[in-house]
């Protein structure tokens, strides 16, 4: 098919020199795909090098502690990916003697591996004829074929997957899947693509109908919840502070943080004092409380907007199980808290 051949030809001439493309090792391909989920290549690349240096093999990753893995992942976000990465590495290393499944349907059984990631590993490592469908593929197919299906709708994934499978050249899944994704990342970009210097311009339906800016259609809006976090930065006579691990499922699960008081809006000093008095996590006498940042730090997540303030709380005596700042810096934190700690 002309469409497929042109994409492969374009890819061979324009592909980026990325380290996970050097060979077909399923470990490094799996690692790169997990890192790049909802992450730009430029942001994910340093993490890929960090992980492959620390954990050259799946056995090295499996034998690491979860806190070590979370620390290396710090700042990349969506931390469930790191926890699933670690659990899957342990399964591959200890239950499968280091061997990854070779078929798409079996790869789907791995924790943290969905349809896209399974297809990527199956095609890139084993050249299985299975299509990959990510945001780039949605965009390329939608524009080229003029599809106005809302990609957020229930049946969109199946429709686009069937189309991607139809245009997939048999025996060339490795090349074609990487080609169509790379084409979407570099050429058929979301805004203001250079359509006049595009190899598909002669046959692109969206270009002919002047619908490039309108496709793909995505109507569903993400509802963003606002939350107000007050972090209590305790300090005792030893200049030790208090750190705790988040144990509630949700954002930043199993990362560390200062004791947290969540409120319905930005809190005043009186509010914070009242909130502290209702807690039992500190028994020391409070000597002084001061606000570190009067303007909240706004930290945006996919479905949440956090307004974060740090409160310095000086207490008498010594905090039970207190920790010094040097030790704290070695622990995994949400990046917004780590940035605060780095300046202490």
């Amino acid at each position: 098919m002309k469409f497929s051949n042109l994409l492969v030809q374009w890819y061979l001439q324009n592909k980026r020199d990325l380290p996970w493309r050097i060979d077909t090792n399923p470990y490094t391909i799996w690692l790169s795909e997990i890192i790049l989920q909802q992450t730009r290549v430029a942001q994910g690349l340093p993490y890929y090098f960090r992980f492959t240096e620390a954990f050259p093999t799946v056995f090295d990753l499996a034998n690491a502690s979860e806190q070590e893995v979370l620390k290396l992942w710090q700042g990349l976000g969506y931390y469930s990916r790191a926890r699933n990465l670690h659990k899957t590495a342990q399964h591959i290393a200890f239950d499968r003697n280091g061997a990854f499944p070779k078929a798409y349907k079996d790869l789907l059984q791995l924790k943290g591996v969905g349809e896209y990631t399974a297809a990527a590993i199956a095609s890139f490592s084993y050249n299985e004829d299975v299509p990959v469908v990510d945001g780039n593929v949605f965009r390329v197919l939608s524009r080229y074929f003029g599809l106005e299906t809302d990609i957020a709708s229930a049946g969109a994934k199946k429709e686009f997957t069937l189309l991607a499978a139809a245009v997939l050249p048999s025996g060339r899944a490795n090349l074609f899947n990487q080609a169509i994704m790379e084409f979407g990342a570099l050429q058929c970009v979301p805004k203001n693509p250079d359509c006049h210097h595009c190899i598909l311009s002669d046959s692109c339906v969206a270009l002919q109908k002047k619908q490039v800016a309108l496709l793909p259609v995505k109507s569903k809006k993400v509802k963003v919840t606002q939350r107000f976090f007050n972090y209590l930065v305790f300090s005792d006579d030893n200049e030790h502070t208090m750190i705790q691990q988040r144990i509630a499922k949700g954002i930043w699960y199993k990362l560390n943080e200062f004791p947290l008081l969540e409120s319905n809006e930005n809190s005043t000093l009186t509010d914070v004092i009242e909130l502290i008095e209702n807690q039992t996590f500190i028994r020391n006498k409070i000597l002084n409380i001061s606000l570190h940042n009067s303007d909240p730090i706004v930290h945006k997540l996919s479905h949440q907007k956090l307004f974060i303030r740090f409160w310095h709380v000086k207490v008498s005596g010594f905090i039970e199980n207190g920790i010094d700042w040097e030790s704290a810096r070695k622990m995994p934190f949400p990046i917004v808290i780590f940035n605060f700690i780095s300046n202490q």
Side-chain angles (χ1 to χ4, degrees), residues 46-90:
Y47 286 88
Y48 174 83
F49 286 126
R50 192 180 301 174
F51 268 82
T52 52
E53 181 179 352
F55 313 121
T57 71
V58 71
F59 293 99
D60 296 309
L61 179 54
N63 284 312
S65 71
E66 185 177 65
Q67 290 289 291
E68 287 179 289
V69 174
L70 287 171
K71 183 63 178 176
L72 276 188
W73 197 273
Q74 182 175 275
L76 196 55
Y78 300 98
Y79 289 90
S80 61
R81 291 182 294 169
R83 296 191 298 271
N84 289 336
L85 184 84
H86 189 226
K87 290 175 182 175
T88 295
Q90 292 178 324

